[in-house]
Amino acid sequence: MPLKAVILIGGPQKGTRFRPLSFEVPKPLFPVAGVPMVQHHIEACAKVPGMKEILLMGFYQPNEALSRFLVSAQQEFKVPIRYLQEYAALGTGGGIYHFRDQILSGGAEAFFVLNADVCSEFPLQEMLEFRQQHGDMHSFVILGTTVQHYVEKPSTFVSEIINCGIYLFTPAIFQHIGEVFQRNQQELALCPYLGEESSNGWQRAEVIRLEQDVFTALAGSGKLYVYKTDGFWSQIKSAGSAIYASRLYLNQYSKSHPERLAQNKPGGPVIRGNVYIHPTASIDSTAVLGPNVSIGEGVTVGAGVRVRESIVLHGASLHDHTCVLNTIVGWDSTIGRWARVEGTPSDPNPNDPYAKIDSETLFRDGRLTPSITILGCSVTIPAEVVILNSIVLPHKELSRSYKNQIIL
């Protein structure tokens, strides 16, 4: 069966909770477990038999980083990959409707739609088999997962299944999206006379949200199925969730990519748990790394350094005896000798196998929510200071310790 995949990567107005990291690279290219976030999606799609093309869709301006990534991904996964730029933010349904001719070209009989800001095992082949077993040729499948939550005295049914943002459609979906588009046009034509805003909250008929505008209408039609996965899944909305997502992918590497996991070797650093180290990184043999550590290209780690539950990005330097815990160290940043940089983990309940990380707000009760520490690119931390639960914007040279602050 000819298949395609569409990966929705958003745009620069999105990903604000990912700042300051999204200042330097588009959020979908941020490294999670050693590779760009969206590469995990592409790899999963490329493994599905019959995959003819993968389309990245968003409203980022084409840039060198994105173009370079697309070229290397095509070479690695041996499947055509293109970027389709929306002229504006059109929503999860509006974008695929706008480019429906591109999606259907080549005779694709079905196509996946994946949100770029989720991490998952991506059971795409299982979704195909599920549809063949349960649906007809014009049915659609949503990937769902279980959550546990408490609702006191619910007056209506409360489902334990949530939408994972991964879908399997046939071309018939465009008829349903087209109906929403026509309804939006009619509403917008009437709005000036009624003095009202359109139901989708936008002044464009093309802005269509799959989850609110399309799925709700399809829910009672018998054409929409949920495939419930027991595999891992989480959103990647904030920088803190990137560390959790990195842990999930590093755990998966033991099966899917054991070659990416560092091993304890004579003369090498001490590795505890799952750790990714880029081949170009220079790690002192007395350093202790892990669990859940990702070391990027060209990183230098000095003697006696301890790193745990952290992502260290391209070109960073950790001087002797630094301690880095629950932190993202930005590109080309430097941490001085005996400094301690630490954040507060925002992990979900470890006793709940279906626990999902919450999207924490930056502030609570007027104060910065304790979270992981983030150093933007080219940040310099001096020797013998403590940086705790703080966010440091790019190109800052600190001179003292900080706690629970955003350093502008």
Side-chain angles (χ1 to χ4, degrees), residues 317-336:
S317 180
L318 312 184
H319 291 183
D320 296 353
H321 306 291
T322 59
C323 183
V324 178
L325 312 173
N326 301 297
T327 294
I328 296 179
V329 180
W331 300 267
D332 298 314
S333 290
T334 301
I335 301 178

Side-chain angles (χ1 to χ4, degrees), residues 29-37 39-40 246 249-250 253 260 275-279 293-297 311-313:
L29 299 186
F30 180 82
V32 176
V35 300
M37 186 189 301
Q39 183 170 321
H40 296 284
S246 185
Y249 280 133
L250 286 173
Y253 282 174
R260 290 183 185 171
V275 174
Y276 168 84
I277 301 175
H278 193 277
V293 168
S294 179
I295 303 291
E297 181 181 350
I311 297 173
V312 184
L313 297 169

Side-chain angles (χ1 to χ4, degrees), residues 268-288:
V270 177
I271 304 298
R272 295 180 177 171
N274 295 323
V275 174
Y276 168 84
I277 301 175
H278 193 277
T280 61
S282 175
I283 315 291
D284 191 274
S285 62
T286 59
V288 181

